[in-house]
């Protein structure tokens, strides 16, 4: 079956513009995660969705970052008034379940964001 | 809070040599532990995971890891390195329920010399 897909694969924007990044999880996966990967900070957690609710938003770095998930499926990460330090690869992952834990998270190919 | 320490950023081995990538974790609850691999310009792929069953876990591509609670370690090994193993390796820890996010170490780049 299809894996996690993300779009766009690359996004170049100017400082101060808003961007939207999209994630399509694996069908049937109830959990969805956003991470970002940058040279200086490594892999950082941003936000976790279980269904359409977000029980853990602790990784969002500022109020310029927001995310939503609709229909328990597609998620959009929005960055408002982008800054150069937002340049990174944004990764989405999905998995089964909740509760016991230890479920494998399947990662998408990422969106490379460059803020000029 | 949970954390992972991967000492060193780069390991170089000869083809056919033992691969040992170290990972130590900190967790206030019984952890779930993972090793992910990232090949150049590709996404993250799960190598193996520990979920409180067997302490010696076997994964893909001949890799294995042993969970040692007394040492808070989950080191990754492979008896004989192959050129195709050159990649970046990440150790990660997670909890359960609302704490199921992955907390990653900084990663180790493995180079394999012919």
């Amino acid at each position: 079956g299809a894996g996690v897909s993300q779009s766009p694969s690359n996004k170049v924007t100017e400082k101060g513009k808003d961007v939207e990044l999209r994630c399509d999880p694996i069908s049937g996966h109830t959990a969805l995660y956003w991470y970002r990967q940058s040279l200086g900070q490594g892999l950082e957690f941003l936000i976790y969705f279980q269904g359409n609710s977000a029980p853990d938003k602790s990784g969002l770095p500022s109020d310029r970052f927001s995310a939503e998930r609709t229909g328990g499926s597609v998620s959009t990460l929005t960055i408002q008034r982008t800054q150069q330090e937002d340049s990174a690869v944004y990764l989405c992952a999905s998995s089964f379940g909740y509760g016991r834990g230890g479920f494998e998270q399947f990662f998408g190919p990422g969106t490379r964001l460059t803020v000029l | 809070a949970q954390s992972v320490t991967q000492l060193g950023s780069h390991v170089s081995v000869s083809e056919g040599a033992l691969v040992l990538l170290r990972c130590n974790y900190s967790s206030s609850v019984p952890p779930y532990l993972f090793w992910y691999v990232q090949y150049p310009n590709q996404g993250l792929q799960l190598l193996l995971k520990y979920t409180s069953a067997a302490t010696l876990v076997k994964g893909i591509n001949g890799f294995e890891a042993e969970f040692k609670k007394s040492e808070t370690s989950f080191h990754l090994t492979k008896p004989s390195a192959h050129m195709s193993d050159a990649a970046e390796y990440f150790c990660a820890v997670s909890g359960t329920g609302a704490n199921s996010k992955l907390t990653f170490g900084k990663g180790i780049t493995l180079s394999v010399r012919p």
Side-chain angles (χ1 to χ4, degrees):
Chain A
V4 177
S5 62
Q6 294 185 246
S7 60
S9 56
N10 278 285
K11 177 72 177 179
V12 180
T13 191
E14 294 180 347
K15 178 181 172 181
K17 300 284 190 184
D18 297 351
V19 295
E20 285 190 352
L21 312 179
R22 176 187 167 105
C23 173
D24 277 278
I26 292 172
S27 178
H29 281 187
T30 58
L32 186 147
Y33 306 80
W34 283 97
Y35 299 88
R36 73 177 176 181
Q37 185 173 26
S38 59
L39 281 176
Q41 301 300 321
L43 276 157
E44 303 174 281
F45 164 78
L46 297 176
I47 187 169
Y48 157 52
F49 287 93
Q50 181 61 38
N52 291 336
S53 64
D56 189 352
K57 306 179 184 179
S58 63
L60 294 177
S62 76
D63 59 8
R64 295 186 297 103
F65 287 72
S66 63
E68 65 175 10
R69 189 179 185 194
T70 54
S73 182
V74 171
S75 176
T76 302
L77 177 69
T78 301
I79 309 174
Q80 294 179 310
R81 305 181 303 281
T82 51
Q83 303 294 312
Q84 288 182 331
E85 61 262 28
D86 300 333
S87 295
V89 177
Y90 289 81
L91 297 169
C92 177
S94 70
S95 76
F96 289 110
Y98 184 86
R100 181 175 62 83
F103 297 105
E104 175 181 356
Q105 293 184 24
F106 293 81
F107 283 80
T111 293
R112 181 175 297 276
L113 175 66
T114 303
V115 182
L116 301 177
Chain B
Q2 298 176 310
S3 66
V4 168
T5 301
Q6 293 184 254
L7 290 177
S9 60
H10 185 232
V11 169
S12 180
V13 301
S14 297
E15 192 173 20
L18 171 72
V19 175
L20 170 61
L21 304 181
R22 298 178 185 274
C23 172
N24 289 88
Y25 70 91
S26 173
S27 177
S28 57
V29 296
Y32 296 103
L33 294 160
F34 305 80
W35 276 98
Y36 278 85
V37 61
Q38 187 173 35
Y39 297 103
N41 298 314
Q42 294 190 28
L44 287 160
Q45 179 183 5
L46 182 70
L47 274 178
L48 48 79
K49 64 178 182 179
Y50 167 75
T51 58
S52 76
T55 57
L56 182 62
V57 180
K58 294 187 184 297
I60 62 172
N61 301 337
F63 284 94
E64 63 181 38
E66 186 172 8
F67 172 71
K68 292 187 177 180
K69 184 178 179 180
S70 61
E71 299 177 9
T72 61
S73 69
F74 190 57
H75 302 330
L76 182 71
T77 60
K78 182 174 180 177
S80 177
H82 192 273
M83 298 296 291
S84 61
D85 295 327
E88 191 162 16
Y89 292 79
F90 295 91
C91 182
V93 63
S94 78
T96 61
N99 194 31
S100 61
K101 67 177 182 288
L102 291 169
T103 300
F104 288 92
K106 291 192 177 299
I108 298 175
T109 299
L110 175 66
S111 300
V112 182
R113 305 184 301 271

